[in-house]
Amino acid sequence: MKRHQKRVWPTLAAYASVLATVMWFFQTHPPTGALKYIAAVAPAVPLLVVVWLFGRYLYEEDDEFRRWQQILTLLIAIGVVLGVCIVWGFLEAFAGVGPVPLYHVATLFVVVQSLSAIVVAWRYR
């Protein structure tokens, strides 16, 4: 887990830097053409690396119980996020609520996964 944290935190710092830079770029010098799409996708790259790093952590984890706990937290987070997305989709379709930008799904996932990790750790302490 310590190795995983040493990999993830710098990647999240890179995400914050890239996101801030892209936001500034779009506000001050709005790009056009292919550069617009490349810049828009740039903040997703560090987040995708974090997803890959989590898979790498699960692959490298030797303790089966710790691996199981992490998989359980992921399943809880996936279930909650999927449920929220399904409900919100029906609210958009039938009740006229406004759409939510899809990048917020990643934020919701991280929050729910973090909370579920606390609950799972407490449950199996």
Side-chain angles (χ1 to χ4, degrees):
M1 182 57 87
K2 288 179 184 178
R3 221 177 16 221
H4 173 67
Q5 293 296 326
K6 285 181 182 179
R7 295 173 188 154
V8 167
W9 285 111
T11 308
L12 289 175
Y15 163 69
S17 297
V18 171
L19 179 60
T21 302
V22 167
M23 290 172 65
W24 172 82
F25 188 50
F26 271 85
Q27 290 172 355
T28 59
H29 309 293
T32 59
L35 183 58
K36 177 169 80 172
Y37 294 95
I38 293 168
V41 171
V45 174
L47 289 180
L48 294 172
V49 171
V50 170
V51 171
W52 178 79
L53 287 172
F54 207 96
R56 183 175 174 182
Y57 163 71
L58 290 175
Y59 180 78
E60 291 175 346
E61 179 58 68
D62 293 332
D63 186 329
E64 289 182 21
F65 181 69
R66 297 269 309 153
R67 183 182 311 132
W68 177 83
Q69 283 182 310
Q70 294 302 319
I71 290 170
L72 182 58
T73 65
L74 288 172
L75 288 174
I76 292 168
I78 290 167
V80 169
V81 170
L82 181 59
V84 167
C85 289
I86 289 168
V87 169
W88 197 265
F90 282 116
L91 288 171
E92 281 184 28
F94 298 117
V97 300
V100 174
L102 288 175
Y103 58 81
H104 289 308
V105 172
T107 305
L108 176 62
F109 179 82
V110 169
V111 169
V112 174
Q113 194 270 337
S114 298
L115 293 174
S116 65
I118 292 167
V119 171
V120 167
W122 175 78
R123 167 68 175 87
Y124 294 102
R125 59 183 153 95

